[in-house]
Amino acid sequence: MVSVLDREMYSEAEAARLLGVPQSTLHYWLEGGERRGRRYRPVIRPEPRRTRIVTWAEFVEAGWLLQYRNRNVPMVELRAFIDQLRDQFGVPYPLADRRPLVSGRQLVFDAQSAVQLGAEFCLVSVVNGQLLLTPPGQAFVERIEWDGDIAIRYRPDPNPDSPVRIEPDVRFGRPAIKGISTEAIWEQAEVGEETDQIAQVYGLDVADVRWALAYENAKSAKRAA
């Protein structure tokens, strides 16, 4: 049986839309590419897979890179860092696994040091003698919900209070609140349904409907920008 992490979930275009990154950027993270005459291997995949289908684990790990979307991501160093984590933890998707982020921070710190990863891209740092998650690392962890050590839900909304979730087994991995697609809620509002009416139809709280509309409207505004 295919594990949830290996499950093929999205086209590359759909995954990029849900993550809020250009498809070309996501493709580069997944497949690598050539820049300034130099060939770069992928950051997320061990090797190029020559496919534009994105698995759940790849989607989650792209969510980590998303925390650095406004910076010039150093492909070589990040690729070496993830390779180190794969070897040390013995898992193919170390950033879709809870252990490196919670109980294995010393190994993460050692991996960062081994590849001389820039401080702005580190997952953990030493503060008063303790290994703590960096702000980007903490922001990533707060977007994930776990079943044991496996990532099973992702919060696509940057607002930490948002109830919008993406789950591989709910609505085919599309954003939803309590199992109701946020896109379906937004479509109801677009045809003139009032917020309380939408809540009643779907068995949601009015606050849930407002969160769904806020999320969908923010996505629309970003696409239009």
Side-chain angles (χ1 to χ4, degrees):
M1 293 179 63
V2 176
S3 74
V4 66
L5 293 178
D6 290 313
R7 190 176 303 167
E8 294 183 340
M9 292 296 304
Y10 309 106
S11 69
E12 194 178 84
E14 176 70 0
R17 185 180 71 83
L18 292 173
L19 290 164
V21 298
Q23 184 179 346
S24 59
T25 297
L26 179 60
H27 182 76
Y28 191 57
W29 292 349
L30 292 168
E31 288 287 288
E34 186 172 318
R35 290 187 175 178
R36 300 183 183 91
R38 181 176 179 180
R39 184 73 191 177
Y40 291 92
R41 294 169 64 196
V43 172
I44 293 174
R45 292 172 176 165
E47 298 292 341
R49 293 202 296 121
R50 306 291 191 268
T51 178
R52 291 184 181 267
I53 300 299
V54 181
T55 68
W56 175 245
E58 290 167 349
F59 180 82
V60 171
E61 293 203 340
W64 171 59
L65 288 175
L66 180 66
Q67 307 307 313
Y68 307 104
R69 62 192 179 280
N70 294 323
R71 305 179 190 180
N72 185 21
V73 177
M75 292 283 286
V76 173
E77 290 85 352
L78 285 175
R79 175 68 167 80
F81 170 59
I82 294 178
D83 279 347
Q84 287 267 350
L85 293 185
R86 284 195 187 101
D87 291 342
Q88 291 181 0
F89 288 94
V91 293
Y93 311 108
L95 296 173
D97 190 294
R98 188 170 179 266
R99 286 168 291 179
L101 303 166
V102 178
S103 61
R105 293 179 187 176
Q106 182 62 56
L107 292 178
V108 174
F109 183 80
D110 293 344
Q112 292 171 174
S113 301
V115 303
Q116 299 181 334
L117 191 64
E120 68 271 29
F121 297 99
C122 288
L123 270 174
V124 299
S125 61
V126 179
V127 179
N128 295 327
Q130 290 186 308
L131 286 170
L132 301 177
L133 290 171
T134 60
Q138 186 64 39
F140 171 64
V141 167
E142 289 174 355
R143 284 179 175 242
I144 304 297
E145 294 178 31
W146 312 87
D147 181 6
D149 293 320
I150 303 301
I152 59 167
R153 294 184 190 88
Y154 177 80
R155 172 173 51 80
D157 193 326
N159 189 322
D161 295 325
S162 173
V164 178
R165 295 292 184 270
I166 291 176
E167 302 180 51
D169 293 322
V170 176
R171 297 295 171 185
F172 304 100
R174 271 50 180 188
I177 293 180
K178 297 178 182 176
I180 306 300
S181 165
T182 57
E183 188 172 5
I185 294 170
W186 180 79
E187 288 173 350
Q188 291 293 312
E190 283 291 286
V191 297
E193 293 287 342
E194 297 294 333
T195 301
D196 57 345
Q197 293 174 319
I198 299 172
Q200 185 174 9
V201 166
Y202 290 114
L204 298 172
D205 295 330
V206 170
D208 294 329
V209 175
R210 288 174 177 160
W211 275 114
L213 295 178
Y215 169 71
E216 288 291 334
N217 287 331
K219 280 201 311 180
S220 296
K222 187 172 183 178
R223 288 196 296 268

